[in-house]
Amino acid sequence: MLEYLRSVTTLFAQPIRLARTYPPEALRADIFAGITVGLVLLPQGLAFAILGGLPPIVGLYSAMTATIIGALWGSSTLLNSGPTTTGAILTLSVLLPIAPIGSAEFVTAASLVAVMAGIIRLILGIARLGMLVTFISDAVAVGFTAGSGLLILFNQIGPILKINISPGASIPTILIETFTQLNEIHWPSLAIGAATIGLIYLIPRFTRTLPAALLSMVIVTAVTTFLAIEQYGVRLLGEVPPGLPPLANLPFWDIELIGSLLNGALALAIIGLVEAVAIARAIASYTGERIDSNQEFVGQGLANIVSGIFSGMPCSGSFNRSALAYQAGGKTALTAVVSGLTVLAGTAALNQVLAIIPRPAIAGTLMVAALGMVDRKGIARVWRSSRGEAVIMFTTLALTLTLPLQFAILIGVLMSLGYYLLRTATPRVEAVVPDADFRHWDSARSRPTCPQLLVVDLQGDLYFGAVNHVEEQLLRLLDHHRAVRFLLLRMHSVNQCDVSGIRALETIRRVLRVRGGDLYFVRVRASVMYRMQISGFYEQLGPERFLDEDKAVDFLFHRVLDPAVCIYECDRRVFRECQELPKQPLPGAIALPLLDGKPPPRIGARALWEALHGPNPPLVLDVREPREFQRGHIPGARNLPLSRLVAERDRLPPGPLVLVCRSGRRSLRAAALLRDRAPAPQVLEGGMLAWEAANLLEAVEQF
């Protein structure tokens, strides 16, 4: 508890750390970059407030306060907080059902919802829930941002044409109302808006050192003032009160209003955090700094609380201002502080100039910013990467255009979570075989597989939501490969396994045991192994079922699989170990039987040695292939491969008989062929491997 309280205290001590570690040599660069960003922030504050249906001064109040507070308590050194296009359009969507645009109630509600969104962000930061931003996927963010951009674009048709459009109207409604008022288009306003847009795109062709939006508004304002354009009916920005932001008279005890704003505040908090953290990380990729999401949550929360208290609007991080701070040479958080002070000074010194800015010029600036929100490269990347995410992206975009924005983002997040759950609940369960070089595993689709051993990749967690799918897929594979008795599961992609997952593995093992086989594992992660151990599943299997991946197939091939199947019944060479294996197909349609019921009598290697040197030695019948026999066999043994034993079993001499092979498995098949012989043949337990382990004499034939 004390450690947690200490960590929370650390979150609020960020300005002290910044002051203690500030490098004096960065002061000049920070001041220059801060003034540069402040000159862009000033007109943006005006424009974004108008976009949100608020008086222009509200945007400037936010630019003065949120920018400074966000810089001092945030994690990123160059993130510039304040009014943004997304925050403005979302604020408008949230407040439209609450109060009429332009009313005092509307402005008060904007400040109140900023405080509420700030409190939510602050709580998330204190609770160390910075990881929550990961629950909004790129597909949702790209779709929502593109939809918001289109909304902003179409909402500026009214101001740029000086026609009356219903507040908060949908895009179809805007188009219909525009076509019905074509004869009322105010051409001077349209010319000013078009000139502003043209200048914003033209100026970067000549210089990139000056902000195109700011320079275009300066040029247009100068020209329209010289031409006295106001006399032609062009709307101007109007008076901008100078001075410090006033305290807002917020209705903190109006429970009904707070309840109606709560959903919107939550949406503003979430979208703003995602926007701010994403921008901070993008800038950090250039500066090399490390971003603390929780610290950024606290910074954004305090920025919105202070903005709302001082008559501002909801705020977040701005990418273009943050990128400009980096390009202008900003080094520390002082850059954003200076930009906020620049807005304060500019409002006091230039309030008369701000009053004569044509509103169509601001609308043109917003149109360009809105087009920039439609990330065509991002849309194309999501479309190429995943069809599921593409559906989420376009659905979120469509909902953003048709529903209140807070509901659009909520539905997008729920769809993203649902898609994530669907993917985790249906992990790929794929049979694999070695590639042509036996270095990697490839999908077994349309490739031959081993009739005895099936190797399967589990590409997801074995938790309660996924076990039914995994179990069904494994049973389907086993049903498709009916002869398979052994299953090797590659578990490197399984990070978690709960009790339901253990139960599913037990079910698969029971199926394999009924077939006379078993279940084996490779690359089991420590967390999954721990779950297997505490559940008793590891003890049931035994450590010999958990194999080293590089040696797993070799072990199974030489010690587990039935070589009789490999040699006589299988015409495939799936594994490296199969490549030099002699293949001797049985004549006709003869099949080797499996030994059912009572097992044959067995004899140990030492006991067989003694029997061979006794008064009545048995006939030793080696059922391996000639090449194996010649490399080493029991002295005096007769070689009769299984393929010949099928035809010659009735011609064997009477008397005691011992069957020998490499490990004993082919001997069991031979014993099944000779089950009617009396006395019953014995099987050398462990085969030639046991004979060699006992250091008994072997005969070797030259070939």
Side-chain angles (χ1 to χ4, degrees), residues 72-410:
L72 292 178
W73 272 273
S75 174
S76 173
T77 56
L78 293 180
L79 178 66
N80 192 278
S81 302
T84 63
T85 50
T86 306
I89 193 67
L90 186 52
T91 300
L92 178 64
S93 176
V94 170
L95 299 184
L96 273 176
I98 306 299
I101 292 180
S103 65
E105 293 81 4
F106 190 90
V107 177
T108 300
S111 297
L112 180 60
V113 79
V115 173
M116 293 171 62
I119 291 173
I120 293 172
R121 297 180 188 184
L122 186 61
I123 292 173
L124 292 176
I126 293 173
R128 302 283 179 178
L129 296 176
M131 44 77 66
L132 288 179
V133 296
T134 60
F135 284 100
I136 297 185
S137 66
D138 284 348
V140 174
V142 170
F144 177 78
T145 305
S148 299
L150 292 176
L151 280 178
I152 294 169
L153 179 68
F154 282 92
N155 271 284
Q156 298 313 303
I157 290 177
I160 207 168
L161 299 181
K162 198 184 176 183
I163 58 178
N164 295 319
I165 302 293
S166 303
S170 63
I171 290 179
T173 303
I174 292 173
L175 293 175
I176 292 172
E177 293 184 0
T178 300
F179 281 115
T180 57
Q181 301 179 67
L182 286 177
N183 57 340
E184 299 179 18
I185 292 177
H186 191 249
W187 296 104
S189 296
L190 176 59
I192 292 171
T196 305
I197 294 172
L199 284 171
I200 291 175
Y201 285 113
L202 186 62
I203 288 172
R205 294 177 178 268
F206 299 97
T207 176
R208 292 187 176 272
T209 58
L210 294 174
L214 174 64
L215 191 56
S216 63
M217 289 185 67
V218 170
I219 294 172
V220 169
T221 301
V223 172
T224 54
T225 302
F226 177 77
L227 296 176
I229 201 71
E230 187 178 7
Q231 64 181 322
Y232 298 104
V234 175
R235 295 173 183 166
L236 303 182
L237 188 60
E239 183 181 357
V240 178
L244 296 172
L247 287 171
N249 184 19
L250 300 178
F252 288 117
W253 306 111
D254 190 341
I255 303 302
E256 183 178 352
L257 177 60
I258 291 175
S260 60
L261 290 174
L262 189 57
N263 286 338
L266 182 62
L268 279 163
I270 294 174
I271 290 298
L273 288 176
V274 171
E275 190 175 34
V277 173
I279 294 169
R281 287 176 177 168
I283 298 299
S285 66
Y286 294 99
T287 62
E289 64 180 325
R290 180 180 174 274
I291 299 300
D292 182 348
S293 296
N294 296 308
Q295 185 68 61
E296 199 59 58
F297 277 27
V298 170
Q300 291 299 313
L302 291 175
N304 275 265
I305 291 172
V306 174
S307 174
I309 290 175
F310 285 94
S311 306
M313 61 187 289
C315 299
S316 182
S318 166
F319 182 78
N320 57 7
R321 296 197 300 267
S322 302
L324 179 60
Y326 173 74
Q327 294 166 358
K331 303 297 182 184
T332 72
L334 184 61
T335 301
V337 174
V338 172
S339 70
L341 295 175
T342 302
V343 173
L344 176 61
T347 304
L350 303 174
N351 63 314
Q352 298 299 323
V353 175
L354 298 177
I356 60 175
I357 296 176
R359 284 186 178 257
I362 296 176
T365 303
L366 288 173
M367 279 188 162
V368 175
L371 284 173
M373 294 173 68
V374 182
D375 185 0
R376 288 171 292 182
K377 290 183 178 179
I379 292 172
R381 184 168 59 249
V382 173
W383 173 261
R384 290 193 300 267
S385 64
S386 167
R387 288 295 178 264
E389 290 187 299
V391 169
I392 293 173
M393 176 181 66
F394 286 117
T395 302
T396 304
L397 192 156
L399 292 174
T400 302
L401 299 178
T402 54
L403 293 180
L405 297 187
Q406 62 270 33
F407 297 116
I409 188 63
L410 178 61

Side-chain angles (χ1 to χ4, degrees), residues 433-457:
V433 293
D435 63 10
D437 298 324
F438 303 103
R439 298 179 61 186
H440 304 287
W441 294 94
D442 287 340
S443 173
R445 294 176 184 173
S446 69
R447 298 272 301 277
T449 59
C450 175
Q452 298 189 78
L453 173 65
L454 189 64
V455 184
V456 175
D457 256 344

